[in-house]
Amino acid sequence: MACSGRRPEHRGPPELFYDEAEARKYTQNSRVVEIQSQMSERAVELLGLPEDRPCLLLDVGCGSGLSGDYISEEGHYWIGLDISPAMLDVAVEREVEGDLLLADVGHGIPFRPGMFDGCISISAVQWLCNADKKSHSPPKRLYRFFSTLYTALARGSRAVLQLYPENSEQLELITAQAMRAGFTGGMVVDYPNSAKAKKFFLCLFVGASGTLPKGLGTECADGEEARQAKFTTERTRFRNIKGKSVKKSRDWILEKKERRRRQGKEVRADTKYTGRKRRPRF
């Protein structure tokens, strides 16, 4: 289950904590949306995907589809898993472009071997460390998750899981179960010296181990300020970065509609009014 960029408090299982009211509040919070988008962008960057073709990604704890929005904008396809029906209902209302599945990943990843080119997860994996039922064993649930995830990923692919560990013991438990399941890799920590901007990304490799990426903010030239993560309400990512269309512009809307047509979805025809701002009503 995606989270708001601060260390989550354990308030019961996510499927109960994120009821309809909480799901809508979460998705409508501009700060949450911005932070979620930034972490999704970083996770996809760490996947090291090929630039010459679209990929099929798995989003674990997809919530209302905020991470999936970024995946779609990058031209990739995705399938999202989440344990909260309320969150998935909001994703359906938002008409996200990915496919959605209600599932408890502690029971395993229910897909055929080698199906995905990569996996991301934003603020979800730490929930598996909680024993919300008497039958729950965190080590067993983590191993079941990682072992089936390993099988579902294509050889040579990666999984990047952003998480908020409560302590070093929890971090060690998660990492140990991932390595036991066959993954190689390790933890990438962005801005390790910043209390607010510090982020943990578990970067896992399937098959041949690769070079672990360096965390942001870990090196700084003499006289140069270290880069800091800026969490603001401004959507600066869409200011024509990499030549992309500004979000909500006519070109951006036409590109999104064309992607949905390629996926076989029903889309309204393009007209001269497409993307035009409506006059305010009095």
Side-chain angles (χ1 to χ4, degrees):
M1 175 56 54
C3 192
S4 60
R6 59 183 175 83
R7 191 179 304 277
E9 298 176 4
H10 178 39
R11 303 178 184 175
E15 66 270 28
L16 298 181
F17 175 68
Y18 288 100
D19 57 16
E20 183 177 352
E22 284 292 333
R24 295 185 184 283
K25 184 191 304 181
Y26 178 94
T27 308
Q28 294 169 358
N29 187 309
S30 60
R31 181 176 180 274
V32 168
V33 171
E34 178 63 20
I35 295 175
Q36 182 87 2
S37 179
Q38 289 179 348
M39 291 193 295
S40 301
E41 184 174 4
R42 176 60 170 155
V44 172
E45 176 188 349
L46 291 171
L47 284 179
L49 298 173
E51 298 182 357
D52 57 344
R53 63 178 177 85
C55 297
L56 177 62
L57 304 181
L58 178 64
D59 185 358
V60 172
C62 64
S64 57
L66 298 178
S67 300
D69 287 344
Y70 178 76
I71 295 174
S72 296
E73 288 159 10
E74 289 294 292
H76 301 299
Y77 301 99
W78 60 280
I79 297 176
L81 299 178
D82 204 279
I83 197 173
S84 169
M87 277 291 199
L88 293 178
D89 286 343
V90 174
V92 171
E93 291 177 10
R94 295 180 62 245
E95 297 183 344
V96 297
E97 297 184 28
D99 294 320
L100 306 169
L101 180 64
L102 179 66
D104 178 357
V105 296
H107 294 161
I109 302 298
F111 294 103
R112 62 180 174 80
M115 180 170 174
F116 296 98
D117 300 306
C119 169
I120 71 166
S121 179
I122 305 300
S123 311
V125 176
Q126 71 272 351
W127 289 93
L128 292 175
C129 295
N130 301 328
D132 296 313
K133 300 178 181 178
K134 290 184 179 180
S135 60
H136 282 183
S137 167
K140 290 182 179 180
R141 284 169 59 78
L142 282 165
Y143 178 71
R144 179 65 179 169
F145 164 64
F146 282 118
S147 60
T148 52
L149 175 62
Y150 185 91
T151 301
L153 290 170
R155 298 283 293 182
S157 62
R158 300 181 186 181
V160 177
L161 316 174
Q162 184 274 329
L163 64 154
Y164 289 100
E166 291 184 358
N167 47 51
S168 58
E169 289 77 14
Q170 190 178 88
L171 193 60
E172 184 177 347
L173 171 63
I174 294 172
T175 304
Q177 295 306 311
M179 302 306 164
R180 181 186 168 206
F183 285 106
T184 56
M187 194 66 64
V188 175
V189 184
D190 285 352
Y191 307 105
N193 299 319
S194 171
K196 291 184 178 181
K198 187 176 183 179
K199 292 291 180 294
F200 292 88
F201 293 88
L202 183 57
C203 189
L204 303 173
F205 304 101
V206 180
S209 60
T211 303
L212 197 64
K214 292 183 179 180
L216 300 178
T218 56
E219 294 182 357
C220 184
D222 293 338
E224 180 184 352
E225 291 187 9
R227 292 175 56 192
Q228 296 294 321
K230 297 179 180 179
F231 296 151
T232 68
T233 57
E234 296 179 356
R235 304 279 302 208
T236 57
R237 181 166 53 79
F238 294 103
R239 292 181 181 174
N240 288 325
I241 296 178
K242 299 180 183 178
K244 298 175 185 175
S245 301
V246 178
K247 191 169 186 181
K248 301 300 183 182
S249 67
R250 177 180 169 83
D251 289 341
W252 183 88
I253 293 173
L254 292 174
E255 289 171 4
K256 182 173 182 179
K257 291 174 72 175
E258 185 59 32
R259 286 200 305 271
R260 295 177 71 86
R261 290 192 185 100
R262 289 198 299 268
Q263 295 172 0
K265 298 182 179 180
E266 186 175 343
V267 181
R268 290 184 180 180
D270 300 334
T271 70
K272 64 179 181 179
Y273 300 106
T274 301
R276 181 178 296 183
K277 291 185 178 181
R278 297 181 179 179
R279 294 180 179 178
R281 293 184 179 181
F282 294 95

